[in-house]
Amino acid sequence: TLAKERLQSIPPEHRRWEWNYLRRKFEGGFLTLYGHRGTVHSVCYSPDGSTVITAGADQTSVVWDARTGERKFVLQGHQSPVGHCAFHPDGNTFATAGERKAIVWETKTGKK
């Protein structure tokens, strides 16, 4: 908090590329996806590039709109960290896999 306050206190006329770089460290980049409570193990894009899936150590997968960064669904069903995700070539379904379990989900609804 103190570092962020000090960064904001720098007068605009003294802000160069370093200031923007450090600000992004606090706020995230152009499209930073916040939603997991731990490490993200895998990220996959739908074949048409409209959807992103993240698979996390928090035993969840999150479905995102790739254009806006909006969280569509938080998917639960694994009892271990979700380590992998992959889309079917048609983009209508995707799979997530944990330690001993794989689940196939519908992309549009988030249902198993």
Side-chain angles (χ1 to χ4, degrees):
T1 303
L2 180 59
K4 189 173 183 180
E5 288 173 8
R6 288 190 178 170
L7 185 65
Q8 293 297 346
S9 71
I10 296 172
E13 64 270 12
H14 296 293
R15 297 176 183 178
R16 305 285 186 254
W17 71 267
E18 300 94 337
W19 185 88
N20 288 307
Y21 171 79
L22 292 170
R23 182 182 54 82
R24 281 193 306 276
K25 289 289 191 184
F26 288 111
E27 298 173 2
F30 168 69
L31 188 60
T32 302
L33 305 173
Y34 295 101
H36 286 280
R37 296 181 316 271
T39 305
V40 173
H41 291 297
S42 184
V43 176
C44 57
Y45 285 87
S46 63
D48 67 0
S50 67
T51 305
V52 175
I53 308 295
T54 53
D58 58 0
Q59 301 177 2
T60 67
S61 296
V62 181
V63 180
W64 308 88
D65 182 306
R67 292 177 180 92
T68 66
E70 177 186 353
R71 185 176 14 186
K72 293 180 173 182
F73 311 109
V74 176
L75 306 173
Q76 299 178 340
H78 290 278
Q79 287 77 41
S80 63
V82 185
H84 306 281
C85 60
F87 273 93
H88 187 276
D90 68 11
N92 293 325
T93 58
F94 64 93
T96 58
E99 190 173 304
R100 295 181 184 174
K101 184 178 189 179
I103 302 173
V104 177
W105 309 86
E106 292 179 8
T107 303
K108 292 185 191 232
T109 65
K111 294 182 180 178
K112 295 180 189 181

